[in-house]
Amino acid sequence: MKLEYILERKDFMEYLLFSAWENKKSRYIKNILKFFIISIFVYAAINAFNKENIVLSIVFGVFAVLVFTFFGKVFNSKLKKQFSEVVDFNYSKRIGEKETIEFSAENMITEDKNGIGKFKISDIEKINETQNNFFIKLLDGSSVIVSKNGIENSERFKNKFKELNIPIVKHLSRKW
């Protein structure tokens, strides 16, 4: 099976956002940061309350509730901005360029304007499916991005990996 497709900026963005979302350490850091900021506001609110400054205590309490409520959206917005800069800097020469991926009985061969990569089928850990892309995750931790726009029949693509006993993990409802 041979696929030819063009990767767009949104494909690289989706890959980076998916990788950050899937990474346990990244989620841990996000939760610790949220807890730390809320703790500071709660501490300040309690301290102000003990000094009988009720108004300031309420203000800090409101900020703690706002951080608890909106931290995820603000954090994701900042992450998107940062990843946008990463895509512009690191992947700008690959955007809009033709990518080719070919599967043989034992190998997966990728080709783009930078060169050719050859991977054993046994080196594929799993396939992550999102709304717009497939991310072929290799055992070394790297991934190959396959845009669904370049696949005429995605069911045939998925069946190829099912035949090879490579799990396909669906993340179709995930919003970035």
Side-chain angles (χ1 to χ4, degrees), residues 87-98:
V87 168
D88 291 341
F89 185 76
N90 292 333
Y91 299 109
S92 62
K93 294 183 178 165
R94 288 182 60 193
I95 295 172
E97 297 293 326
K98 183 174 93 171

Side-chain angles (χ1 to χ4, degrees), residues 98-111:
K98 183 174 93 171
E99 308 256 343
T100 305
I101 189 167
E102 186 173 355
F103 297 96
S104 65
E106 296 179 9
N107 295 310
M108 174 180 74
I109 302 167
T110 62
E111 182 178 355

Side-chain angles (χ1 to χ4, degrees), residues 98-141:
K98 183 174 93 171
E99 308 256 343
T100 305
I101 189 167
E102 186 173 355
F103 297 96
S104 65
E106 296 179 9
N107 295 310
M108 174 180 74
I109 302 167
T110 62
E111 182 178 355
D112 60 19
K113 76 175 200 171
N114 296 326
I116 298 174
K118 187 175 183 180
F119 307 95
K120 293 180 181 176
I121 295 293
S122 60
D123 288 342
I124 299 174
E125 180 182 335
K126 65 181 175 180
I127 311 294
N128 289 304
E129 181 182 7
T130 62
Q131 289 178 341
N132 302 314
N133 297 298
F134 290 102
F135 304 125
I136 303 172
K137 185 166 183 173
L138 305 174
L139 292 174
D140 68 0

Side-chain angles (χ1 to χ4, degrees), residues 38-73:
I38 291 172
S39 297
I40 289 172
F41 282 122
V42 169
Y43 174 78
I46 292 171
N47 198 18
F49 184 77
N50 287 338
K51 292 182 179 180
E52 297 181 8
N53 192 343
I54 304 298
V55 173
L56 191 58
S57 176
I58 291 172
V59 168
F60 284 133
V62 167
F63 279 130
V65 170
L66 289 173
V67 169
F68 180 78
T69 306
F70 296 110
F71 181 82
K73 290 183 182 191

